Every structure is written in C-alpha cells, then in structure tokens.
Amino acid sequence: MSAIWGVVDLSGKEINKALSSRMSKCLENYRIDKVMELSEDNAYMGCGLQYITKQDRAEKLPISEGPDFFTADCYLDNREELISEIGKELPGERLSEDTPDGRLLYLAFKIWGEKFGDHVLGAFSFANYNKDTNEFYLFTDHISSRSVHYYVQGDRLFFGTLTSCITDVCPEIDVCDKWMSACMAMDFPVLTVFEGLSPFENVFMLPYGCGVKAVLSKGKAKATRIRYYDPISEIHEDKSITDAQAKELFIDTFKKAVEGMLRTDGEVGVLLSSGLDSTTVASMAATILKYRGDSLLHSYTSIPLKVFDKNYDNPRNYWTDDESGLVKILCKRYDNIKPTFMDCEGKSVLSNIKKYVDYMEFPGKALINHVWMYEAYEKARADGCKILLCGNHGNYTISHGSIFNSAYRALREGRIVTAFNQVCYDAKCKKISRKGHLKRFFQAVQDDRRMITIDEIVTDQSYRKELLDKYGVRKAWEDLMKREGDGISTRKQFENSVVSTFVLQLMGLYETKDSLDTGVLVRDPTRDKRILELCLKLPYERFAWDGQDRRLVREYMKDYIPDEIRLVSRHRGRQSGDALLRYKSFGLPGGEKEDNLIDKDIARYFDIDKARAIMQEETTEDNIRRKVKILACSIFMKNVRKKRESLV
C-alpha cells in the first residue's frame, strides 16, 4: 500500500519543482518504506510505498508510459483472475506472479477505462493523466477503503491520500465550516453527513465507487464526478435463494473475501473480541492459514484495567468487559491463533490525543477506542504483522438480522400471521412472555415511525446550534435518518445501511490514516465488495428467522465457531468500558490541564466560555465523549492555524 499525491496543470504550464518538494514533505511523519516521484512538464506525481507484499518491492510508481502518467495506492484481492484477463487482452504483456499490483491496476484502466471496476477487486486509489487527451482521472475503490482527496485551483488539480499534501502547498485553503459544523454537532463518532466533503474547504474526498474526470474548460480545470459502482441500483433481493443455497453462498463468498486479504510477506493479525464479527473473521482466517501451512494468526484483544469494576454501568450484567475468556475458548479451537491481551496500563485517550489528531488530519471522535486499537497496531508491527484484519462492518452485513426486523418486513408484505408467529416463536425460544414480546415488537414498530430529530441528539450546550440551519446540518441529518433508519428498517433502509456512504467514508478514513502511520494494513472482510453484494441479494429470512437472529453467523458458521461464542445472546462484549476510569487516572503528558488546550479558533463552532466550563467539570459517562470531541477540535484548529501561518 502507499500514499499518493500530485498535481496536474491542464493549461500545460510546467510544475514548479519547489511545489512538488513541499507536497511530498508531509510523508516524513508516516511509516513509508520508499518514496518515488516523477515530474514531466505539466504533471507531477508521487508514491510513498509501504512493503506489505513481496510484489511491493518490485513496484515502480509513478508510471510514465506513452501518453499516460499514472500512480496508485493499491492492494488487489483478485490478482490471478486479473492476470488471466489482462493476458487475453494484451498477449504481448509479460505478466507473472511477481508483477506488482500497481502495474496490474494501470493495465486494467488502460484496457477497460471507466469500466475497470468490473474487473478489479481490492483496496485502492489511483490517478491517471493522459497527455494526448489532456484528461485527468482520479478513482477510489468500490467501498472507499483507501481515502483520496482532490482540490481544483484555477487550471490545476491537486490530489492526495493525505489532505496535507494539498493544504501544505495551497495556503488559501481554510477549514470547511460545513464539515466541521456537522462533525461537532454530535458527541458520538459520526464525522460527517455530507457526501464527499472533507475538513478543508473545497478539498473533496471521493465517496465509494466514485472517481472524477478533470478537463480544461474555458481556461480552468473542471472536475466531474463519475460513479462507476452502484450496487443498490443493480442488485435486488432474490427470494428464490433457499437456506441451503444461502449457506453455501455465504461460506464460499466469505472464504474468498478473507483469503484475498491474507497476501503478505509478513505475519497476519486480527483485532479479536468475543463478538460474532471479529470471531468469524478470526475463525476463517485461522482455518485458511492452517490449511496453507502458513504462520500463526496473531490476535489482539482489549481487556480492562485490573482495578476496573466489572459491574460499573452494567445493568443485569449485560456487558462483558473482559472478553479474554471467550477468546481463549476460540484459541483452544484454533491452536494456530496466538493471543495477546492488552490492558493498556497507564494509557487513556488523553495520552496520545495530540498524535492521533495530527496524523489523522481531522478531529476524530472515536478516539476513546484508539487507546487499545493503536496499542494493537503497535504490538502487531512488533510481531512482524503487515496485515491486520478486523470485523468493523459486521453489524451491517454478516451479523445483521433480528427477529423483530424480519417480522416487520413480513408485516409490511401483508404476511400478518407469519409476523405474529415469528415474534411468538422467538419468545418461546428465549423463554420469555409471548404477550410481553409482542408488546415490545409493536412498540418498536411504532418507535420506528417516529423519526429522531437532530435536537434530540445535539445535547452539547456549548455547540452553536445556529450552525445546524446555516449549513444545512439539520436537513442533512434528518435525510440520513430517513434513508438509513434506526432500529427496525424497511428493505430500502437496509440497502442504504449496508452500503452507507458516511459509514464507508468514516471507516476508510480511519483505516487509511492508521495504516500509513503504523505500517500495518488494516483490512475488513465484513466490508468486502462481494459480501456487501451478497447481503443485498439474500432474502431477509436468511438473516433472522424461526427464533434465531444473526443467522449468517449463528447458523451458517456453526462448523467454525464454538457454541460458547456462537450462541451467546444475553451478553455483549464491550471495549473501552473502562474509558472513564482511564481518563480520570491518566491525564495529558506532563500534567497539562485539558482546558489549557482550548484554542480560540473553536469559537467558530462552540461558545468558548461554555466549552471551557465543560472541560472544568468532573468527567462522567455523560460528558467524556463531549470533552474528547472539544479537545480534538481544539487541537485540530490550532494545528491548522499554525501551519497556515508558517506557509504565509
């Protein structure tokens, strides 16, 4: 994998070498194995390569060939099929097992143009400039797992995996108030509700399955969005798929998804909890690795501090904060899993918050979880891992499905008796009151019809609520909730949640930046293109039916996952349950006070006096995320101001 960057002047003017030097400088703070650059007249491109596979060491990017100028950030999952296809189209091209991914991706675009997405699978972004046609293209992969940005300045177009590649040479770029207003409105991890926006004004990020084509029009660069992949429009529910067929399809598809992500000349790791998603990923990966006779699967599991009270904020003992017990059961089943349990002693979200915001280039709000996640990345790198698997998207795909949701879908189809029977049978399986369960079901149906308003979730008194309407945040959020739902969902809402623009953008941003900073490539098989497509195709009964929810895992994976994990339904694992204890126990380095980090520029989004007051309050479960949000915003704004001042 790599970071890519560059600039093309469509009017034909030569690119200044000082500009190209400044663009590449931002890579100095990331874990890059090799930097390569090419500059020819009006085009400059770079590639900061990370050695993840054996083919990466032979990679030569950017490529200058004929009229094409090409660079890429890529890890392909279907190399064998792609080599075969390209060989038929270009019989004179010498291809082999050692051909680098970047070369294959370039040839795929050269042959199929905008239809390349029908032939290529994997995580990638790439840029291509054709000098003869004076056309520039920039693409991200089908699910935007590798984020990439672009910015138009007169007759020039800048692009970069990192926004700093662009902002470091364009001092006129300010923070995007629309993006920031949406981000700061909520305390929970949602970063944006506006497709394609980034934290910087007019610096756009490509959404899933998209690209841009830029041409010179009336003396200026004009960029037009291209959507080459639209699964919601193309894939429909197939009611004819039987349960036996669904199981075969799921196992085969998931195996291919995991297998395609295991190609590396290093070790392989997995972020592992006791939950169904990461357990499913780990089970399949361990099975494949053992069959191939490969090395161990290293697993990394967060456990709470020893002094943490397991009953804290844990009604009816629902949450399992120490998930090591069930992880050990899985490791007993798969003796090639080597577990590491991390209590992250002495660390809190405050310990590295400045570093997180700096390398992410945005005010992240999921930073509480980054305490153990970053620890896992560092330990994985120390163990020689170059691939780190996870199951972050599983709730939308492989472990999606509740009896209430399936009964609701049956109800909407007019199958009233079937819906009634499904709820009653679920109550019987759970050994609870049928009458009470039916009451809860109809209450859930009623609640789903009442849309949550933004005023219910924007509870931060320091946030400037006039921004909700000024920048259209209110409407955008309410449109998002209608589109994707919350809880019980219609078929359309299910489709939009499986292929959610804002979720895919969020995951792609974090994984790209984390991979560049640590040198460990994060991949999620539960977000594989083929898995998304299969979930869109399967009938809803396959996800939850006859008293069994989350059936793709609980039923279809019974040969892979121990029953002690697979059949757990009354408890859920919880990472970062001790976040509050950590926050209170381990503060900022050097004893610095949190309110000292409050920067004057956050007044654009917060009442600064109220924000300072919040930071001086005792930290509780109700305000810890708010404090982290305000701190992240403040650090980000100060970083941006200092950098812009240095560029003037």
Side-chain angles (χ1 to χ4, degrees):
M1 301 306 295
S2 55
I4 60 173
W5 64 93
V7 57
V8 173
D9 192 313
L10 294 173
S11 69
K13 293 193 291 290
E14 187 174 348
I15 301 300
N16 187 296
K17 290 185 178 180
L19 182 148
S20 59
S21 176
R22 293 203 307 274
M23 286 193 79
S24 63
K25 190 173 182 181
C26 63
L27 269 294
E28 293 177 356
N29 296 325
Y30 294 85
R31 194 170 292 273
I32 301 297
D33 293 308
K34 184 179 181 181
V35 174
M36 297 171 285
E37 300 170 275
L38 278 178
S39 183
E40 292 185 9
D41 302 324
N42 64 318
Y44 160 72
M45 292 184 182
C47 177
L49 193 67
Q50 294 177 316
Y51 295 150
I52 305 297
T53 69
K54 68 175 184 178
Q55 292 88 0
D56 287 338
R57 297 178 186 276
E59 195 75 81
K60 294 181 180 179
L61 289 168
I63 293 171
S64 178
E65 191 167 300
D68 291 321
F69 209 53
F70 176 92
T71 193
D73 164 22
C74 61
Y75 179 106
L76 301 181
D77 296 336
N78 66 330
R79 281 178 51 87
E80 291 184 8
E81 298 91 336
L82 190 57
I83 287 173
S84 177
E85 283 191 80
I86 293 173
K88 292 175 183 177
E89 296 287 340
L90 299 173
E93 185 75 29
R94 291 187 176 183
L95 302 177
S96 71
E97 181 188 346
D98 297 324
T99 302
D101 288 17
R103 179 70 185 173
L104 294 176
L105 187 56
Y106 165 67
L107 293 174
F109 184 68
K110 181 178 179 179
I111 296 167
W112 296 295
E114 295 177 25
K115 297 291 185 181
F116 76 93
D118 296 338
H119 306 269
V120 174
L121 282 174
F124 58 81
S125 64
F126 70 88
N128 190 85
Y129 172 60
N130 186 297
K131 295 187 286 261
D132 289 350
T133 62
N134 203 30
E135 294 174 339
F136 172 81
Y137 288 90
L138 181 69
F139 287 95
T140 187
D141 60 60
H142 301 83
I143 58 170
S144 61
S145 59
R146 298 299 290 186
S147 60
V148 68
H149 308 80
Y150 69 95
Y151 172 69
V152 175
Q153 182 198 66
D155 50 13
R156 299 190 294 185
L157 188 143
F158 296 81
F159 69 92
T161 304
L162 300 170
T163 50
S164 54
C165 292
I166 302 170
T167 58
D168 282 4
V169 295
C170 300
E172 75 276 9
I173 298 176
D174 195 7
V175 171
C176 178
D177 286 333
K178 187 173 183 178
W179 190 96
M180 290 292 294
S181 297
C183 179
M184 293 300 116
M186 305 125 190
D187 293 342
F188 49 90
V190 174
L191 287 176
T192 181
V193 295
F194 296 107
E195 182 178 88
L197 288 192
S198 85
F200 296 95
E201 191 69 33
N202 294 321
V203 177
F204 299 102
M205 183 172 73
L206 287 178
Y208 77 88
C210 280
V212 290
K213 176 183 178 180
V215 297
L216 192 67
S217 176
K218 298 180 180 179
K220 293 184 178 181
K222 180 181 179 182
T224 304
R225 174 88 62 85
I226 300 167
R227 180 167 287 286
Y228 70 88
Y229 179 62
D230 187 10
I232 293 178
S233 298
E234 298 168 358
I235 300 173
H236 307 285
E237 187 176 26
D238 186 350
K239 290 284 191 178
S240 69
I241 298 177
T242 66
D243 202 45
Q245 290 171 332
K247 178 178 179 179
E248 183 178 355
L249 279 170
F250 176 72
I251 296 296
D252 181 62
T253 304
F254 193 67
K255 181 180 179 182
K256 289 178 179 176
V258 174
E259 197 165 23
M261 298 181 183
L262 297 179
R263 182 172 57 92
T264 179
D265 61 359
E267 299 288 305
V268 177
V270 60
L271 295 177
L272 181 60
S273 69
S274 63
L276 294 182
D277 301 319
S278 64
T279 300
T280 304
V281 172
S283 299
M284 185 61 76
T287 299
I288 295 169
L289 289 171
K290 189 164 189 177
Y291 176 78
R292 294 194 324 198
D294 284 355
S295 56
L296 298 172
L297 175 64
H298 301 263
S299 72
Y300 303 92
T301 303
S302 168
I303 58 174
L305 294 165
K306 293 181 178 64
V307 295
F308 178 66
D309 180 1
K310 68 178 182 179
N311 295 312
Y312 181 77
D313 190 30
N314 197 3
R316 299 181 183 178
N317 204 30
Y318 176 71
W319 296 111
T320 301
D321 291 295
D322 187 345
E323 302 181 76
S324 60
L326 291 181
V327 169
K328 289 175 182 176
I329 289 175
L330 185 69
C331 294
K332 188 175 181 180
R333 173 75 169 268
Y334 295 97
D335 59 7
N336 62 327
I337 297 180
K338 182 181 179 181
T340 297
F341 300 102
M342 309 169 300
D343 63 5
C344 304
E345 177 65 41
K347 297 180 181 179
S348 75
V349 66
L350 298 175
S351 303
N352 281 319
I353 190 169
K354 292 182 180 179
K355 174 181 173 62
Y356 297 152
V357 175
D358 186 44
Y359 81 76
M360 287 177 184
E361 305 181 316
F362 59 85
K365 294 194 296 176
L367 299 182
I368 286 175
N369 284 333
H370 251 69
V371 175
W372 65 267
M373 291 178 71
Y374 199 80
E375 180 92 348
Y377 300 149
E378 290 187 317
K379 288 186 179 296
R381 186 178 70 242
D383 288 337
C385 294
K386 294 187 177 182
I387 298 288
L388 189 63
L389 302 176
C390 67
N392 292 337
H393 203 63
N395 285 336
Y396 299 94
T397 54
I398 67 170
S399 67
H400 168 79
S402 70
I403 295 297
F404 276 14
N405 202 81
S406 291
Y408 177 56
R409 292 280 300 280
L411 192 66
R412 287 178 63 91
E413 292 177 347
R415 301 163 64 192
I416 300 173
V417 174
T418 298
F420 177 86
N421 289 339
Q422 283 296 312
V423 176
C424 290
Y425 187 64
D426 189 44
K428 181 180 179 180
C429 292
K430 289 182 169 66
K431 297 180 181 181
I432 58 178
S433 164
R434 184 180 69 174
K435 181 178 179 181
H437 210 41
L438 282 167
K439 184 177 180 180
R440 284 188 290 272
F441 170 67
F442 287 113
Q443 184 62 53
V445 172
Q446 184 177 348
D447 288 346
D448 189 62
R449 293 177 178 176
R450 185 191 71 83
M451 293 303 301
I452 297 174
T453 66
I454 198 168
D455 296 298
E456 294 177 74
I457 59 174
V458 182
T459 55
D460 182 352
Q461 295 304 310
S462 68
Y463 175 76
R464 293 177 50 200
K465 292 185 176 60
E466 69 270 19
L467 301 176
L468 295 177
D469 293 314
K470 180 177 181 180
Y471 293 108
V473 177
R474 182 187 305 277
K475 183 179 185 305
W477 174 257
E478 291 174 355
D479 287 347
L480 173 65
M481 291 301 297
K482 290 176 185 176
R483 188 169 66 248
E484 299 187 13
D486 181 44
I488 288 178
S489 61
T490 65
R491 165 67 189 181
K492 196 64 183 175
Q493 288 173 328
F494 165 67
E495 292 174 347
N496 290 329
S497 67
V498 171
V499 192
S500 167
T501 293
F502 91 86
V503 172
L504 295 179
Q505 276 192 191
L506 177 72
M507 296 302 178
L509 268 173
Y510 276 111
E511 290 175 5
T512 300
K513 302 297 178 64
D514 285 333
S515 295
L516 289 175
D517 184 74
T518 63
V520 179
L521 176 60
V522 183
R523 296 296 309 273
D524 184 358
T526 70
R527 207 167 72 246
D528 181 88
K529 169 182 178 285
R530 292 159 292 187
I531 288 293
L532 301 185
E533 292 173 350
L534 178 61
C535 289
L536 292 176
K537 186 185 295 184
L538 291 178
Y540 63 82
E541 295 93 336
R542 305 297 164 250
F543 292 96
W545 204 248
D546 288 345
Q548 186 63 274
D549 64 352
R550 309 173 84 178
R551 292 186 71 249
L552 299 189
V553 174
R554 294 200 199 277
E555 286 290 324
Y556 299 165
M557 291 292 291
K558 63 174 61 176
D559 294 334
Y560 292 83
I561 302 175
D563 289 351
E564 297 95 322
I565 302 172
R566 183 174 62 88
L567 300 179
V568 171
S569 60
R570 292 182 177 271
H571 305 281
R572 288 286 291 265
R574 173 172 65 171
Q575 291 90 45
S576 304
D578 59 354
L580 179 60
L581 175 62
R582 291 180 181 280
Y583 192 102
K584 290 182 174 182
S585 304
F586 315 119
L588 290 164
E592 188 175 6
K593 300 296 183 183
E594 296 100 285
D595 59 337
N596 289 341
L597 292 182
I598 301 301
D599 187 80
K600 61 183 181 180
D601 284 351
I602 69 166
R604 289 164 69 166
Y605 316 110
F606 298 98
D607 181 307
I608 199 162
D609 292 330
K610 291 181 179 179
R612 289 187 182 279
I614 288 172
M615 298 311 302
Q616 292 168 357
E617 293 174 357
E618 180 183 356
T619 308
T620 65
E621 285 288 345
D622 292 331
N623 66 16
I624 183 172
R625 292 186 180 277
R626 184 164 302 156
K627 286 190 173 188
V628 172
K629 175 189 72 174
I630 293 171
L631 285 174
C633 178
S634 186
I635 294 167
F636 174 77
M637 294 299 290
K638 184 176 182 179
N639 287 349
V640 171
R641 186 181 72 250
K642 289 176 65 177
K643 181 170 284 190
R644 291 187 72 197
E645 289 172 352
S646 70
L647 295 174
V648 174

Short mmCIF file of all heavy atoms in Angstrom, two decimals, residues 272 299-303 322-325 327-328 331 339-344 379:
data_model
loop_
_atom_site.label_atom_id
_atom_site.label_comp_id
_atom_site.label_asym_id
_atom_site.label_seq_id
_atom_site.Cartn_x
_atom_site.Cartn_y
_atom_site.Cartn_z
N LEU A 272 -9.39 -8.93 17.80
CA LEU A 272 -10.30 -10.00 18.21
C LEU A 272 -10.96 -9.69 19.55
O LEU A 272 -10.30 -9.46 20.56
CB LEU A 272 -9.52 -11.32 18.30
CG LEU A 272 -10.30 -12.57 18.70
CD1 LEU A 272 -11.41 -12.86 17.69
CD2 LEU A 272 -9.37 -13.77 18.81
N SER A 299 -3.56 -12.57 17.39
CA SER A 299 -4.79 -11.86 17.76
C SER A 299 -4.50 -10.85 18.87
O SER A 299 -3.62 -11.06 19.72
CB SER A 299 -5.88 -12.83 18.21
OG SER A 299 -5.58 -13.39 19.49
N TYR A 300 -5.27 -9.75 18.86
CA TYR A 300 -5.07 -8.65 19.81
C TYR A 300 -6.41 -8.28 20.43
O TYR A 300 -7.35 -7.90 19.71
CB TYR A 300 -4.42 -7.45 19.11
CG TYR A 300 -3.11 -7.85 18.47
CD1 TYR A 300 -3.07 -8.28 17.13
CD2 TYR A 300 -1.94 -7.89 19.20
CE1 TYR A 300 -1.89 -8.69 16.55
CE2 TYR A 300 -0.74 -8.31 18.63
CZ TYR A 300 -0.73 -8.71 17.31
OH TYR A 300 0.45 -9.14 16.73
N THR A 301 -6.50 -8.43 21.75
CA THR A 301 -7.76 -8.27 22.46
C THR A 301 -7.60 -7.26 23.58
O THR A 301 -6.66 -7.34 24.39
CB THR A 301 -8.22 -9.62 23.05
OG1 THR A 301 -8.33 -10.58 22.01
CG2 THR A 301 -9.55 -9.47 23.77
N SER A 302 -8.53 -6.32 23.64
CA SER A 302 -8.53 -5.32 24.71
C SER A 302 -9.16 -5.91 25.97
O SER A 302 -10.23 -6.52 25.91
CB SER A 302 -9.32 -4.10 24.25
OG SER A 302 -9.58 -3.23 25.33
N ILE A 303 -8.49 -5.72 27.10
CA ILE A 303 -9.08 -6.08 28.39
C ILE A 303 -8.99 -4.87 29.31
O ILE A 303 -8.13 -4.00 29.13
CB ILE A 303 -8.36 -7.30 29.03
CG1 ILE A 303 -6.87 -7.01 29.23
CG2 ILE A 303 -8.57 -8.55 28.20
CD1 ILE A 303 -6.13 -8.11 29.98
N ASP A 322 -14.32 -7.86 30.18
CA ASP A 322 -13.14 -8.70 29.98
C ASP A 322 -13.54 -9.86 29.08
O ASP A 322 -14.18 -10.82 29.52
CB ASP A 322 -12.62 -9.21 31.32
CG ASP A 322 -11.29 -9.96 31.17
OD1 ASP A 322 -10.93 -10.31 30.02
OD2 ASP A 322 -10.62 -10.20 32.19
N GLU A 323 -13.16 -9.77 27.81
CA GLU A 323 -13.57 -10.78 26.82
C GLU A 323 -12.54 -11.88 26.63
O GLU A 323 -12.67 -12.70 25.72
CB GLU A 323 -13.86 -10.08 25.48
CG GLU A 323 -14.92 -9.00 25.58
CD GLU A 323 -15.21 -8.33 24.25
OE1 GLU A 323 -15.89 -8.95 23.41
OE2 GLU A 323 -14.74 -7.20 24.05
N SER A 324 -11.54 -11.90 27.49
CA SER A 324 -10.46 -12.86 27.31
C SER A 324 -10.92 -14.30 27.44
O SER A 324 -10.36 -15.20 26.79
CB SER A 324 -9.33 -12.57 28.30
OG SER A 324 -9.79 -12.67 29.64
N GLY A 325 -11.94 -14.56 28.28
CA GLY A 325 -12.41 -15.92 28.49
C GLY A 325 -12.90 -16.58 27.21
O GLY A 325 -12.48 -17.70 26.86
N VAL A 327 -12.33 -15.50 24.15
CA VAL A 327 -11.23 -15.51 23.18
C VAL A 327 -10.36 -16.75 23.39
O VAL A 327 -9.93 -17.40 22.43
CB VAL A 327 -10.39 -14.22 23.28
CG1 VAL A 327 -9.10 -14.34 22.46
CG2 VAL A 327 -11.20 -13.02 22.80
N LYS A 328 -10.11 -17.10 24.65
CA LYS A 328 -9.31 -18.29 24.95
C LYS A 328 -10.00 -19.57 24.48
O LYS A 328 -9.34 -20.53 24.06
CB LYS A 328 -9.02 -18.36 26.45
CG LYS A 328 -8.03 -17.31 26.92
CD LYS A 328 -7.87 -17.33 28.43
CE LYS A 328 -6.90 -16.24 28.89
NZ LYS A 328 -6.80 -16.18 30.38
N CYS A 331 -9.24 -19.77 20.88
CA CYS A 331 -7.84 -20.16 20.69
C CYS A 331 -7.63 -21.65 20.97
O CYS A 331 -6.73 -22.27 20.39
CB CYS A 331 -6.92 -19.31 21.57
SG CYS A 331 -6.89 -17.57 21.13
N PRO A 339 -2.73 -15.47 20.98
CA PRO A 339 -3.42 -14.29 21.52
C PRO A 339 -2.51 -13.34 22.29
O PRO A 339 -1.54 -13.75 22.93
CB PRO A 339 -4.45 -14.92 22.47
CG PRO A 339 -3.78 -16.17 22.96
CD PRO A 339 -2.94 -16.67 21.80
N THR A 340 -2.84 -12.07 22.21
CA THR A 340 -2.23 -11.04 23.05
C THR A 340 -3.36 -10.26 23.70
O THR A 340 -4.28 -9.80 23.01
CB THR A 340 -1.37 -10.08 22.21
OG1 THR A 340 -0.28 -10.80 21.63
CG2 THR A 340 -0.82 -8.95 23.07
N PHE A 341 -3.31 -10.15 25.03
CA PHE A 341 -4.34 -9.43 25.77
C PHE A 341 -3.73 -8.13 26.30
O PHE A 341 -2.70 -8.15 26.98
CB PHE A 341 -4.88 -10.29 26.91
CG PHE A 341 -5.49 -11.58 26.44
CD1 PHE A 341 -4.79 -12.77 26.54
CD2 PHE A 341 -6.74 -11.59 25.85
CE1 PHE A 341 -5.34 -13.96 26.09
CE2 PHE A 341 -7.30 -12.76 25.39
CZ PHE A 341 -6.61 -13.96 25.50
N MET A 342 -4.38 -7.01 25.98
CA MET A 342 -3.80 -5.69 26.24
C MET A 342 -4.65 -4.93 27.25
O MET A 342 -5.82 -4.64 26.98
CB MET A 342 -3.74 -4.90 24.93
CG MET A 342 -3.09 -5.62 23.78
SD MET A 342 -3.32 -4.74 22.21
CE MET A 342 -5.11 -4.71 22.09
N ASP A 343 -4.06 -4.61 28.41
CA ASP A 343 -4.78 -3.78 29.37
C ASP A 343 -4.39 -2.30 29.25
O ASP A 343 -4.97 -1.45 29.90
CB ASP A 343 -4.57 -4.27 30.80
CG ASP A 343 -3.12 -4.19 31.26
OD1 ASP A 343 -2.27 -3.65 30.51
OD2 ASP A 343 -2.82 -4.67 32.37
N CYS A 344 -3.41 -2.01 28.41
CA CYS A 344 -3.00 -0.63 28.13
C CYS A 344 -2.80 0.17 29.43
O CYS A 344 -3.28 1.31 29.56
CB CYS A 344 -4.02 0.08 27.23
SG CYS A 344 -4.33 -0.76 25.66
N LYS A 379 1.69 -3.34 18.66
CA LYS A 379 2.10 -4.70 19.00
C LYS A 379 2.13 -5.58 17.76
O LYS A 379 3.00 -6.45 17.61
CB LYS A 379 1.15 -5.28 20.06
CG LYS A 379 1.34 -4.67 21.44
CD LYS A 379 0.48 -5.37 22.49
CE LYS A 379 0.70 -4.77 23.87
NZ LYS A 379 2.07 -4.95 24.36
#
